[in-house]
mmCIF file of all heavy atoms in Angstrom:
data_model
loop_
_atom_site.group_PDB
_atom_site.id
_atom_site.type_symbol
_atom_site.label_atom_id
_atom_site.label_comp_id
_atom_site.label_asym_id
_atom_site.label_seq_id
_atom_site.Cartn_x
_atom_site.Cartn_y
_atom_site.Cartn_z
ATOM 1 N N ARG M 38 105.727 118.091 115.898
ATOM 2 C CA ARG M 38 104.562 117.477 115.232
ATOM 3 C C ARG M 38 103.499 117.150 116.352
ATOM 4 O O ARG M 38 103.860 116.478 117.352
ATOM 5 C CB ARG M 38 104.932 116.215 114.558
ATOM 6 C CG ARG M 38 103.795 115.385 113.927
ATOM 7 C CD ARG M 38 104.234 114.362 113.002
ATOM 8 N NE ARG M 38 105.178 113.482 113.586
ATOM 9 C CZ ARG M 38 104.866 112.125 113.872
ATOM 10 N NH1 ARG M 38 103.758 111.646 113.682
ATOM 11 N NH2 ARG M 38 105.875 111.358 114.425
ATOM 12 N N PHE M 39 102.252 117.606 116.149
ATOM 13 C CA PHE M 39 101.193 117.241 117.066
ATOM 14 C C PHE M 39 100.363 116.088 116.375
ATOM 15 O O PHE M 39 100.047 116.133 115.190
ATOM 16 C CB PHE M 39 100.282 118.454 117.276
ATOM 17 C CG PHE M 39 99.017 117.956 117.943
ATOM 18 C CD1 PHE M 39 99.019 117.713 119.341
ATOM 19 C CD2 PHE M 39 97.774 117.954 117.326
ATOM 20 C CE1 PHE M 39 97.987 117.385 120.046
ATOM 21 C CE2 PHE M 39 96.481 117.513 118.053
ATOM 22 C CZ PHE M 39 96.688 117.290 119.457
ATOM 23 N N ARG M 40 100.216 114.993 117.099
ATOM 24 C CA ARG M 40 99.357 113.908 116.694
ATOM 25 C C ARG M 40 98.188 113.730 117.594
ATOM 26 O O ARG M 40 98.290 113.544 118.784
ATOM 27 C CB ARG M 40 100.370 112.683 116.749
ATOM 28 C CG ARG M 40 99.592 111.400 116.194
ATOM 29 C CD ARG M 40 100.651 110.334 115.742
ATOM 30 N NE ARG M 40 99.865 109.236 115.230
ATOM 31 C CZ ARG M 40 99.723 108.005 115.906
ATOM 32 N NH1 ARG M 40 100.381 107.833 117.039
ATOM 33 N NH2 ARG M 40 99.017 107.016 115.359
ATOM 34 N N GLY M 41 96.981 113.959 117.034
ATOM 35 C CA GLY M 41 95.738 113.881 117.716
ATOM 36 C C GLY M 41 95.190 112.488 117.973
ATOM 37 O O GLY M 41 95.366 111.604 116.964
ATOM 38 N N ALA M 42 94.545 112.317 119.116
ATOM 39 C CA ALA M 42 94.029 110.919 119.355
ATOM 40 C C ALA M 42 92.512 111.041 119.028
ATOM 41 O O ALA M 42 91.746 111.831 119.599
ATOM 42 C CB ALA M 42 94.186 110.517 120.824
ATOM 43 N N MET M 51 98.941 106.032 122.565
ATOM 44 C CA MET M 51 99.911 107.069 122.088
ATOM 45 C C MET M 51 100.811 107.546 123.265
ATOM 46 O O MET M 51 102.113 107.711 123.050
ATOM 47 C CB MET M 51 99.186 108.279 121.431
ATOM 48 C CG MET M 51 98.720 107.934 120.039
ATOM 49 S SD MET M 51 97.510 108.991 119.499
ATOM 50 C CE MET M 51 98.191 110.555 119.428
ATOM 51 N N PHE M 83 89.762 115.797 118.886
ATOM 52 C CA PHE M 83 90.654 114.849 119.490
ATOM 53 C C PHE M 83 90.370 114.672 121.004
ATOM 54 O O PHE M 83 89.886 115.656 121.607
ATOM 55 C CB PHE M 83 92.138 115.364 119.281
ATOM 56 C CG PHE M 83 92.332 115.399 117.666
ATOM 57 C CD1 PHE M 83 92.758 116.614 117.167
ATOM 58 C CD2 PHE M 83 92.221 114.323 116.878
ATOM 59 C CE1 PHE M 83 92.922 116.847 115.845
ATOM 60 C CE2 PHE M 83 92.508 114.388 115.489
ATOM 61 C CZ PHE M 83 92.821 115.667 115.004
ATOM 62 N N VAL M 87 99.852 113.772 121.359
ATOM 63 C CA VAL M 87 101.059 113.894 121.738
ATOM 64 C C VAL M 87 101.887 114.851 120.716
ATOM 65 O O VAL M 87 101.535 114.994 119.668
ATOM 66 C CB VAL M 87 101.840 112.482 121.742
ATOM 67 C CG1 VAL M 87 101.372 111.561 122.868
ATOM 68 C CG2 VAL M 87 101.805 111.844 120.401
ATOM 69 N N MET M 186 95.689 126.384 114.149
ATOM 70 C CA MET M 186 97.074 125.727 114.262
ATOM 71 C C MET M 186 98.053 126.681 115.029
ATOM 72 O O MET M 186 98.931 127.372 114.489
ATOM 73 C CB MET M 186 97.713 125.452 112.875
ATOM 74 C CG MET M 186 96.608 124.633 112.040
ATOM 75 S SD MET M 186 97.335 124.072 110.510
ATOM 76 C CE MET M 186 97.856 122.453 110.969
ATOM 77 N N ARG M 190 102.526 123.854 113.802
ATOM 78 C CA ARG M 190 103.184 122.543 113.667
ATOM 79 C C ARG M 190 102.676 121.700 112.524
ATOM 80 O O ARG M 190 101.657 121.942 112.048
ATOM 81 C CB ARG M 190 102.882 121.700 115.032
ATOM 82 C CG ARG M 190 103.323 122.280 116.261
ATOM 83 C CD ARG M 190 103.383 121.194 117.264
ATOM 84 N NE ARG M 190 103.385 121.649 118.626
ATOM 85 C CZ ARG M 190 104.519 121.890 119.300
ATOM 86 N NH1 ARG M 190 105.729 121.992 118.722
ATOM 87 N NH2 ARG M 190 104.465 122.271 120.683
ATOM 88 N N VAL M 191 103.537 120.730 112.128
ATOM 89 C CA VAL M 191 102.978 119.773 111.219
ATOM 90 C C VAL M 191 102.174 118.714 112.120
ATOM 91 O O VAL M 191 102.457 118.588 113.286
ATOM 92 C CB VAL M 191 104.163 118.870 110.539
ATOM 93 C CG1 VAL M 191 104.854 119.839 109.555
ATOM 94 C CG2 VAL M 191 105.097 118.306 111.432
ATOM 95 N N CYS M 192 101.113 118.195 111.582
ATOM 96 C CA CYS M 192 100.184 117.600 112.350
ATOM 97 C C CYS M 192 99.693 116.232 111.700
ATOM 98 O O CYS M 192 99.791 116.148 110.412
ATOM 99 C CB CYS M 192 98.729 118.389 112.439
ATOM 100 S SG CYS M 192 99.053 119.934 113.318
ATOM 101 N N GLY M 193 99.220 115.365 112.468
ATOM 102 C CA GLY M 193 98.521 114.051 111.978
ATOM 103 C C GLY M 193 97.679 113.563 113.064
ATOM 104 O O GLY M 193 97.452 114.267 113.970
ATOM 105 N N ASP M 194 97.064 112.418 112.842
ATOM 106 C CA ASP M 194 96.188 111.865 113.948
ATOM 107 C C ASP M 194 96.291 110.310 113.955
ATOM 108 O O ASP M 194 97.042 109.730 113.206
ATOM 109 C CB ASP M 194 94.845 112.402 113.831
ATOM 110 C CG ASP M 194 94.102 112.215 112.511
ATOM 111 O OD1 ASP M 194 94.232 111.147 112.004
ATOM 112 O OD2 ASP M 194 93.605 113.194 112.039
ATOM 113 N N SER M 195 95.397 109.785 114.753
ATOM 114 C CA SER M 195 95.561 108.315 115.012
ATOM 115 C C SER M 195 94.751 107.444 114.074
ATOM 116 O O SER M 195 94.525 106.244 114.194
ATOM 117 C CB SER M 195 95.233 108.016 116.426
ATOM 118 O OG SER M 195 93.897 108.342 116.643
ATOM 119 N N ARG M 196 94.107 108.149 112.921
ATOM 120 C CA ARG M 196 93.349 107.247 112.020
ATOM 121 C C ARG M 196 94.285 106.325 111.245
ATOM 122 O O ARG M 196 95.355 106.557 111.010
ATOM 123 C CB ARG M 196 92.417 107.971 111.212
ATOM 124 C CG ARG M 196 93.098 108.744 110.048
ATOM 125 C CD ARG M 196 92.197 109.741 109.280
ATOM 126 N NE ARG M 196 92.179 111.094 109.947
ATOM 127 C CZ ARG M 196 91.329 112.015 109.721
ATOM 128 N NH1 ARG M 196 90.295 111.794 108.876
ATOM 129 N NH2 ARG M 196 91.460 113.214 110.336
ATOM 130 N N VAL M 199 96.119 107.277 106.743
ATOM 131 C CA VAL M 199 96.915 108.507 107.266
ATOM 132 C C VAL M 199 96.306 109.794 106.698
ATOM 133 O O VAL M 199 96.010 109.916 105.573
ATOM 134 C CB VAL M 199 98.299 108.322 106.539
ATOM 135 C CG1 VAL M 199 99.222 109.397 106.925
ATOM 136 C CG2 VAL M 199 98.960 107.049 106.944
ATOM 137 N N ALA M 200 96.274 110.709 107.600
ATOM 138 C CA ALA M 200 96.007 112.065 107.227
ATOM 139 C C ALA M 200 97.017 113.062 107.943
ATOM 140 O O ALA M 200 97.421 112.728 108.976
ATOM 141 C CB ALA M 200 94.605 112.551 107.835
ATOM 142 N N TYR M 201 97.601 113.978 107.080
ATOM 143 C CA TYR M 201 98.719 114.835 107.564
ATOM 144 C C TYR M 201 98.325 116.290 107.025
ATOM 145 O O TYR M 201 97.871 116.379 105.954
ATOM 146 C CB TYR M 201 100.012 114.311 107.172
ATOM 147 C CG TYR M 201 100.054 113.921 105.627
ATOM 148 C CD1 TYR M 201 100.468 114.832 104.703
ATOM 149 C CD2 TYR M 201 99.672 112.665 105.134
ATOM 150 C CE1 TYR M 201 100.579 114.634 103.390
ATOM 151 C CE2 TYR M 201 99.716 112.352 103.774
ATOM 152 C CZ TYR M 201 100.066 113.324 102.888
ATOM 153 O OH TYR M 201 100.150 113.088 101.563
ATOM 154 N N TYR M 202 98.621 117.156 107.935
ATOM 155 C CA TYR M 202 98.293 118.574 107.591
ATOM 156 C C TYR M 202 99.287 119.578 108.268
ATOM 157 O O TYR M 202 99.901 119.305 109.159
ATOM 158 C CB TYR M 202 96.918 118.853 107.838
ATOM 159 C CG TYR M 202 96.308 118.436 109.104
ATOM 160 C CD1 TYR M 202 96.150 119.236 110.278
ATOM 161 C CD2 TYR M 202 95.929 117.117 109.326
ATOM 162 C CE1 TYR M 202 95.747 118.798 111.451
ATOM 163 C CE2 TYR M 202 95.505 116.580 110.528
ATOM 164 C CZ TYR M 202 95.323 117.566 111.511
ATOM 165 O OH TYR M 202 94.916 117.023 112.712
ATOM 166 N N ARG M 203 99.275 120.709 107.679
ATOM 167 C CA ARG M 203 100.247 121.719 108.110
ATOM 168 C C ARG M 203 99.937 123.091 107.522
ATOM 169 O O ARG M 203 99.141 123.066 106.464
ATOM 170 C CB ARG M 203 101.666 121.369 107.648
ATOM 171 C CG ARG M 203 101.763 121.061 106.231
ATOM 172 C CD ARG M 203 103.185 120.935 105.766
ATOM 173 N NE ARG M 203 103.946 122.237 105.894
ATOM 174 C CZ ARG M 203 105.119 122.391 105.433
ATOM 175 N NH1 ARG M 203 105.803 121.457 104.747
ATOM 176 N NH2 ARG M 203 105.771 123.490 105.539
ATOM 177 N N VAL M 238 88.224 117.582 110.849
ATOM 178 C CA VAL M 238 89.187 118.241 111.803
ATOM 179 C C VAL M 238 88.841 119.554 112.176
ATOM 180 O O VAL M 238 88.698 120.046 113.258
ATOM 181 C CB VAL M 238 90.674 118.016 111.298
ATOM 182 C CG1 VAL M 238 91.662 118.598 112.273
ATOM 183 C CG2 VAL M 238 91.060 116.574 110.883
#
Side-chain angles (χ1 to χ4, degrees):
R38 175 165 58 101
F39 173 72
R40 186 160 176 249
M51 283 160 59
F83 304 120
V87 292
M186 307 189 94
R190 297 196 197 277
V191 294
C192 297
D194 57 45
S195 60
R196 73 188 89 191
V199 180
Y201 48 93
Y202 44 101
R203 55 171 291 186
V238 180

